């Protein structure tokens, strides 16, 4: 396995600075954010370490040289919008940019894009399904043409009132993944699995590693803690951030020893990227860097391979 981190937590660093930091700290890889240049819509979004809209041959050569000089590879390109938004203008803009990210991944030789399925959060799963197929069948066909795999993160995107009640990502559970992968059967359509999202949904985060082992394209290493004293006050019908908090690996409820034990059993040899969304570590650039270092120290005890 290869250990890396998600670049969204370092928006104030340039691509060169992100890759040099990764090299200095002994990381194997980085998932690089590729949002359109502009204002962020939410936390951890709007980060552009590669501008795919203007990517040309000279920039591609420079990125390859940067990877070679630092010894750090790109685990995947990340862009997490809502291509199924009920706002047609937003959905169209997100879809067009996602296609550019896929094309950039092919041109860079990365071969992987991590993203969300999207969802009209005001409608049920069934009410979203026809549109999911309408948008994603041709999108996966496009990715196949480019020989780029698409890793869908399992985050429900249901944290705040504007995402209530359905969240902005359909791909939240094994039952839905099973149906997705049956109706769009493709070796280029899989998962960017993050166990933290199952913790607050009170789901087993180990079972999917076995059933969906062939679909594990990428792993996010993020933890979460359910605060029972808060849950007892507000109940599971409250918006989730009222009773749980994202944490660094080792500071939440994920048993990372068991997680890596099963991950190695199923033969996973890909990238595991630390995703920092722990607000206790977000006061300054240096505390965010410390969060990445601390997470790496903790996770390396469970990992084989890499640097």
């Amino acid at each position: 396995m290869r250990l890396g981190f998600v670049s969204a937590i370092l928006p104030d660093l340039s691509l060169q600075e992100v890759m040099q930091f990764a090299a200095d700290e002994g990381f194997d890889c980085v998932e690089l954010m590729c949002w359109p240049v502009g204002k962020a819509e939410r936390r951890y979004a709007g980060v552009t370490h590669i501008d795919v809209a203007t990517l040309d041959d000279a920039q591609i050569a420079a990125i390859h040289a940067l990877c070679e000089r630092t010894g750090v590879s790109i685990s995947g390109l990340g862009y997490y919008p809502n291509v199924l938004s009920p706002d047609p203008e937003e959905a169209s803009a997100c879809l067009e940019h996602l296609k550019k990210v896929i094309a950039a991944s092919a041109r860079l030789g990365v071969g992987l894009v991590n993203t969300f399925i999207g969802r009209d959060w005001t409608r049920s799963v069934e009410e979203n399904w026809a549109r999911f197929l309408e948008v994603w069948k041709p999108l996966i066909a496009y990715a196949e043409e480019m020989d780029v795999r698409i890793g869908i993160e399992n985050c429900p995107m249901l944290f705040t009132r504007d995402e209530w009640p359905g969240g902005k990502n359909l791909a939240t559970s094994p039952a839905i993944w099973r149906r997705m992968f049956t109706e769009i059967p493709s070796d280029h359509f899989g998962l960017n699995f993050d166990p933290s999202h199952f913790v607050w949904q009170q789901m087993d985060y180990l079972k999917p590693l076995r059933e969906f082992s062939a679909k594990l394209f990428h792993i996010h290493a993020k933890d979460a803690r359910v605060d029972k004293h808060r849950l007892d006050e507000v109940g599971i019908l409250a918006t989730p951030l009222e009773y749980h908090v994202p944490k660094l690996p080792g500071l939440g409820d994920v048993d990372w020893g068991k997680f890596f034990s099963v991950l190695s059993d199923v033969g996973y040899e890909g990238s595991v990227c630390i995703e920092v969304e722990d607000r206790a570590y977000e006061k300054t650039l240096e505390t965010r860097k410390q969060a990445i270092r601390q997470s790496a120290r903790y996770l390396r005890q469970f990992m084989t391979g890499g640097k």
Side-chain angles (χ1 to χ4, degrees), residues 193-243:
F193 185 65
D194 183 332
S196 71
H197 303 307
F198 275 22
V199 168
W200 68 264
Q201 292 187 88
Q202 302 178 46
M203 299 165 73
D204 190 322
Y205 50 83
L206 299 178
K207 285 182 182 176
L209 300 180
R210 297 185 176 93
E211 178 179 349
F212 296 92
S213 60
K215 292 291 189 181
L216 297 175
F217 291 176
H218 196 267
I219 299 291
H220 273 181
K222 187 176 70 181
D223 216 328
R225 186 189 69 217
V226 174
D227 290 325
K228 186 65 166 52
H229 67 287
R230 290 293 307 145
L231 185 61
D232 287 342
E233 287 292 315
V234 300
I236 61 169
L237 298 182
T239 48
L241 284 179
E242 293 182 64
Y243 59 84

Side-chain angles (χ1 to χ4, degrees), residues 6 29 62 65 70 82 98 127 144 165 175 192 255 283 295 298 307:
V6 180
C29 58
T70 57
N82 186 359
L98 182 54
E127 290 168 334
E144 288 176 340
N192 174 25
D255 186 326
K283 291 180 181 176
S295 301
Y298 181 76
K307 293 177 179 174

Side-chain angles (χ1 to χ4, degrees), residues 160-199:
T160 52
R161 290 185 62 185
D162 67 310
E163 297 161 337
W164 192 259
K168 295 183 176 177
N169 181 26
L170 271 179
T172 58
S173 70
I176 295 174
W177 305 341
R178 218 171 276 126
R179 186 176 174 188
M180 280 172 30
F181 296 140
T182 298
E183 300 203 29
I184 307 180
S186 171
D187 293 338
H188 290 69
F189 192 29
L191 296 170
N192 174 25
F193 185 65
D194 183 332
S196 71
H197 303 307
F198 275 22
V199 168

Side-chain angles (χ1 to χ4, degrees), residues 128-170:
N128 271 273
W129 205 258
R131 186 138 179 266
F132 156 65
L133 294 176
E134 176 188 354
V135 171
W136 278 92
K137 277 188 173 179
L139 192 56
I140 294 299
Y142 177 71
E144 288 176 340
E145 290 174 17
M146 295 283 177
D147 196 18
V148 171
R149 299 189 302 166
I150 305 295
I152 302 297
E153 187 175 350
N154 54 305
C155 178
M157 291 306 295
L158 202 177
F159 297 109
T160 52
R161 290 185 62 185
D162 67 310
E163 297 161 337
W164 192 259
K168 295 183 176 177
N169 181 26
L170 271 179

Side-chain angles (χ1 to χ4, degrees), residues 244-293:
H244 100 286
V245 289
K247 298 300 297 177
L248 301 187
L251 300 185
D253 296 342
V254 174
D255 186 326
W256 291 97
K258 288 184 178 177
F259 184 79
F260 277 96
S261 177
V262 176
L263 206 56
S264 57
D265 283 349
V266 301
Y268 182 77
E269 296 180 342
S271 301
V272 176
C273 284
I274 297 160
E275 186 179 30
V276 176
E277 294 185 354
D278 187 335
R279 296 191 185 189
Y281 289 80
E282 293 183 11
K283 291 180 181 176
T284 67
L285 172 60
E286 185 52 36
T287 60
R288 284 178 276 128
K289 287 182 173 179
Q290 288 173 1
I292 296 172
R293 294 188 188 104

